[in-house]
Every structure is written in structure tokens, then in C-alpha cells.
Amino acid sequence: MEKYITKADGKKELYDKQKINTSFIKAGASNKIAAKATKTINRKVKDNMSTDEIYHNALGHLRVIEPRVALKYSLKRAIMNMGPEGFVFEKYIARILKEYGFFTEVGQILSGYCVEHEVDVVAKKEDKTCFVECKYHNSPGIKSDIKTALYVHSRFLDIEKAYREKESSNHSHFEAWLVTNTKCTSDAIKYAGCVGLRILAWHCPEEENLQYFIETKKLYPISILSTITEKQKEILFDSNIILIKEIGNYSIDNLARLISVSKLEASKILNEANII
């Protein structure tokens, strides 16, 4: 019997077990483990069940059979759990770009030809300067739409015109980027492709998207860890610790002191960090 599920935006769609299987494989599960986990989840899926409930069932099952895969499977939600505001996400994007050879600055006030603009991330590499607007959402049902794309591009044009007025910038290459942790509407993607606005979102573009740049160099955020509390996560973010690889620089004693936990708890956090 066919089953329907309710997506985060309230829309209903036919349940597709192959999507669940594919998501397990993308998280690093073997074909055998993915097939076994999919079979277990299929038995639990009920008609009109929310995607959120399906996700938590899948995550709970993976934590039992494949903890490493479970961590990677939770990546999208981990980014959404960076906090209520988008500042940590901006710093996270800056760290990712830095790992790919860019010199980055966060929260810059730049003079446009007409007015000043606050740019989330300015990323430079060789003769290329990228003005990055980060759109952070803590709910999977929210998409960046055509209004956002128009806004980002119009700001870029004003900034670019001001930079072109400078003699030293005549041979520079400027780019406008829209980076989001969720998705973009089809109109936003179509417009971006037309005007040369680069979109870096979840599964967009099809190949070199946000998930690709994270997974390729294992640039996982510390919010992916299941062994830290919300308060401990905030302490780490406030201490400018964003990536899992950065927490690995701490000894058990130093981490325990930093987030006010026992050495045993600190050891568990570092062990989980080492898994991924």
C-alpha cells in the first residue's frame, strides 16, 4: 500500500524508500548496511508521518549499528543547530572557504557606489574577490527565494561599481555568492544562472554544492556531536571553535576545563570527534 509523508514545508509526497537508502549511502554506509537500515525504517513509516519523525527514527537506528555514519547523516540538522542567529554560520562558511585557499573576513562594512553595505564574508583568492551573503535557516522548510537573489545581486552591483572606480581594481575579478544551509527556489536558481550569481546551497548546484565542500575535506561543525550539550556547544562557539578538527587540538584536561565537564565526559567528546 502506498504511503504519503509530510515534508517540513507542510507539503505531502509519496514515500520513496529509495531516497532513504540513498541518504544512508551518501552518509557513508555500505550497500549492505544501507539496505538493512532502510528495511528497518520502512517498517516504522506510517501514512502521513512527518519527515522529521522519519529522520529521528533513522538517526536513532544508525547510532546503534553505525555511529560514524549516524554522525554524517545528521550533518544537515547539525548546521541548523548552530544557533538561533546566523553569525556562527557565517564564521563556518568563512572557515570552509579558508580551507580551500581563500583569505576570509567576516562581517565587513564596504562602501558601495551609492551606499554602504555589510557583507557577511569577503573571500579573496589570487585576483578573485567574492562577496558572500549567508542565509542561515534553522528549519528545513525555508527556502531562499527570488527576492533574496535579487537583493544579493543588486548589493553586489553597487559594491562592484565602487571597486571598479579604484584604479587598482581594474584587473580584479569580482563575484557575488549566495550561500544557504537549506535550498533555493527554482526562480532564484534560474535568475542566479542568468546574472552570474553563484549559489552554494544544500544539493545546489548538483555537484559542487555546500555538502560537497564540507564532505570533501571533512569540515564538520562541532554541533554534529551528540556528546555535547547546548550550553557546551555555545561555549565552544564563543571560544571560536567551529570545526570538529579544531576540537581535536585540545587535550582531555584542557577541553574539560574549557567547557566545565569531567575528564570522562571530555574523553567521550574527543572520542566521538575522532570517529568522524
Side-chain angles (χ1 to χ4, degrees):
M1 186 179 71
E2 292 184 341
K3 299 176 184 178
Y4 284 84
I5 58 174
T6 304
K7 299 176 68 177
D9 59 6
K11 295 180 180 179
K12 295 185 183 296
E13 69 174 30
L14 193 64
Y15 171 67
D16 183 357
K17 64 180 181 181
Q18 187 56 43
K19 283 187 177 180
I20 295 290
N21 188 78
T22 300
S23 67
F24 290 151
I25 292 174
K26 284 184 176 180
S30 66
N31 290 334
K32 184 178 179 180
I33 292 294
K36 184 179 179 181
T38 300
K39 187 176 181 179
T40 299
I41 299 306
N42 286 342
R43 290 198 299 265
K44 295 182 179 182
V45 173
K46 300 177 182 177
D47 196 32
N48 293 318
M49 180 177 278
S50 70
T51 52
D52 189 63
E53 190 172 355
I54 294 171
Y55 163 78
H56 284 292
N57 280 331
L59 182 60
H61 183 63
L62 286 175
R63 280 176 174 163
V64 174
I65 63 171
E66 283 281 359
R68 180 185 60 83
V69 174
L71 284 171
K72 294 179 67 176
Y73 184 74
S74 66
L75 175 60
K76 187 175 182 180
R77 297 299 179 100
I79 296 174
M80 288 181 185
N81 290 333
M82 282 184 161
E85 306 298 332
F87 185 60
V88 176
F89 180 65
E90 293 167 16
K91 293 171 72 175
Y92 180 49
I93 295 302
R95 296 289 173 85
I96 291 173
L97 292 175
K98 185 178 179 181
E99 291 288 332
Y100 283 88
F102 286 87
F103 169 77
T104 61
E105 295 177 293
V106 178
Q108 297 296 295
I109 303 296
L110 302 179
S111 295
Y113 187 81
C114 301
V115 295
E116 287 188 336
H117 304 275
E118 182 175 358
V119 179
D120 294 334
V121 181
V122 177
K124 299 179 180 180
K125 187 177 183 180
E126 297 173 349
D127 66 338
K128 180 166 65 176
T129 301
C130 307
F131 304 104
V132 184
E133 179 74 15
C134 299
K135 290 300 177 184
Y136 169 76
H137 304 294
N138 50 24
S139 171
I142 303 175
K143 296 181 180 181
S144 294
D145 59 15
I146 183 63
K147 292 180 181 178
T148 301
L150 286 165
Y151 164 75
V152 173
H153 186 244
S154 63
R155 282 177 14 121
F156 166 72
L157 292 177
D158 189 44
I159 294 170
E160 183 188 35
K161 187 174 181 179
Y163 270 64
R164 292 296 182 195
E165 292 288 311
K166 301 176 183 177
E167 186 176 343
S168 60
S169 299
N170 288 338
H171 301 291
S172 297
H173 177 65
F174 300 104
E175 291 183 2
W177 289 29
L178 169 57
V179 181
T180 179
N181 62 311
T182 53
K183 296 180 179 180
C184 294
T185 63
S186 57
D187 278 350
I189 294 171
K190 185 177 180 180
Y191 175 79
C194 182
V195 299
L197 168 65
R198 181 169 183 179
I199 287 181
L200 194 62
W202 206 255
H203 298 322
C204 180
E206 193 171 311
E207 294 183 356
E208 293 188 353
N209 49 49
L210 180 58
Q211 187 177 10
Y212 166 85
F213 284 109
I214 295 171
E215 295 279 10
T216 299
K217 293 196 175 185
K218 298 183 178 181
L219 305 176
Y220 304 110
I222 56 105
S223 52
I224 205 171
L225 298 173
S226 64
T227 47
I228 61 172
T229 65
E230 283 296 311
K231 184 177 180 181
Q232 291 161 4
K233 180 185 71 177
E234 290 175 8
I235 292 172
L236 290 170
F237 283 151
D238 288 343
S239 301
N240 210 29
I241 299 171
I242 309 292
L243 304 177
I244 288 285
K245 61 188 297 183
E246 293 166 341
I247 206 174
N249 296 327
Y250 282 75
S251 66
I252 293 175
D253 288 348
N254 289 339
L255 180 61
R257 281 194 295 269
L258 177 63
I259 59 177
S260 301
V261 297
S262 68
K263 292 182 181 180
L264 178 60
E265 289 176 290
S267 178
K268 288 180 179 178
I269 293 170
L270 289 175
N271 284 339
E272 187 180 30
N274 287 331
I275 288 175
I276 196 166

